[in-house]
Amino acid sequence: MNNIIKDSLAKSISYTEYTTLVNNLVENKDTTGTDKSENLVEYTMLNAKRMKRWDKTLKVNEAVKERIEKIDKKITWLVLTESWCGDAAHVVPVMQKVAELNPNINVKVVLRDENEDLMNNFLTNGGKSIPKLIMVDETSGEVINTFGPRPSGATQLVNDYKAKHGMLTPEFKEDLQRWYNKDKGQNAANDLVELLSV
């Protein structure tokens, strides 16, 4: 497992490099991943706007700030994502904002479809759900915890809807986007702090 993480880290990019990549894809009407369908190209365009908005407007609350600032060991947050993923466009900017509060946390981004071995070790209910954050202790190389693909509140909404309707509909996906906009990243930020036990 350590070797898989090391290999992925060697190929990883920073969050800033990732946003640059997404913006370049939008300019070229392209998307990350193996599926280059028109739908996913459109999602990439939409997600670039979402990420830009969150990067500008996201505020981390004081309680989260205080707890994150207490982390005194070096941790890498290795994030599996793709540019077309709607959840990632809302959640990955939160990860970055929280990590920026402490120089001991280093965010690294890898693409899911290019890191299959890593993804296969961190499935969610048997699926390759993203974004997936793997928290790695830089000293020991051990995985401390994982997070994703969604904050706890959004996960509950998805699970309840699936239980009632059997699958997620386009209408539900719009409701989920509204939930993210209303929540303003607070649920994800709180979840991240809880996983670090600080």
Side-chain angles (χ1 to χ4, degrees):
M1 171 56 100
N2 274 2
N3 286 340
I4 293 171
I5 289 173
K6 275 182 193 161
D7 289 347
S8 295
L9 281 170
K11 295 185 277 185
S12 69
I13 57 177
S14 69
Y15 178 76
T16 306
E17 290 169 318
Y18 176 65
T19 56
T20 301
L21 168 69
V22 174
N23 291 330
N24 288 340
L25 290 167
V26 169
E27 277 180 35
N28 296 307
K29 295 183 174 41
D30 198 0
T31 183
T32 60
T34 49
D35 179 350
K36 304 290 185 181
S37 66
E38 204 174 305
N39 272 356
L40 296 192
V41 169
E42 275 181 37
Y43 291 145
T44 293
M45 200 181 309
L46 193 59
N47 290 338
K49 289 176 186 166
R50 287 175 176 149
M51 287 170 67
K52 192 179 283 183
R53 188 180 74 236
W54 287 128
D55 288 341
K56 279 185 187 164
T57 63
L58 196 69
K59 300 272 185 280
V60 179
N61 69 61
E62 284 305 314
V64 168
K65 261 187 208 171
E66 281 174 26
R67 292 175 72 184
I68 285 292
E69 285 166 359
K70 288 179 184 165
I71 294 166
D72 58 358
K73 60 182 175 185
K74 293 212 169 285
I75 303 169
T76 295
W77 284 5
L78 181 57
V79 184
L80 282 151
T81 190
E82 293 287 348
S83 66
W84 46 260
C85 176
D87 290 302
H90 293 289
V91 176
V92 178
V94 180
M95 294 173 186
Q96 176 65 20
K97 279 277 193 222
V98 170
E100 283 172 0
L101 298 170
N102 190 318
N104 287 318
I105 304 172
N106 185 18
V107 175
K108 290 293 184 183
V109 179
V110 290
L111 299 176
R112 181 191 74 176
D113 294 356
E114 293 173 12
N115 292 272
E116 211 165 322
D117 287 346
L118 183 67
M119 185 73 256
N120 287 335
N121 277 285
F122 293 96
L123 301 175
T124 303
N125 301 324
K128 297 181 179 184
S129 302
I130 51 174
K132 190 71 170 193
L133 166 59
I134 304 154
M135 300 175 175
V136 183
D137 182 310
E138 286 185 19
T139 308
S140 67
E142 296 299 309
V143 174
I144 301 165
N145 220 325
T146 63
F147 170 79
R150 298 178 185 97
S152 54
T155 299
Q156 191 63 55
L157 282 179
V158 168
N159 292 345
D160 290 350
Y161 195 88
K162 273 187 182 169
K164 193 173 179 181
H165 302 279
M167 59 179 277
L168 301 182
T169 62
E171 293 77 21
F172 172 79
K173 289 178 182 175
E174 283 179 28
D175 288 343
L176 186 59
Q177 296 305 320
R178 281 192 281 276
W179 181 91
Y180 277 119
N181 291 335
K182 193 176 170 192
D183 177 67
K184 295 183 171 31
Q186 298 311 300
N187 189 189
N190 289 328
D191 286 351
L192 288 166
V193 170
E194 290 305 319
L195 291 173
L196 287 165
S197 305
V198 287

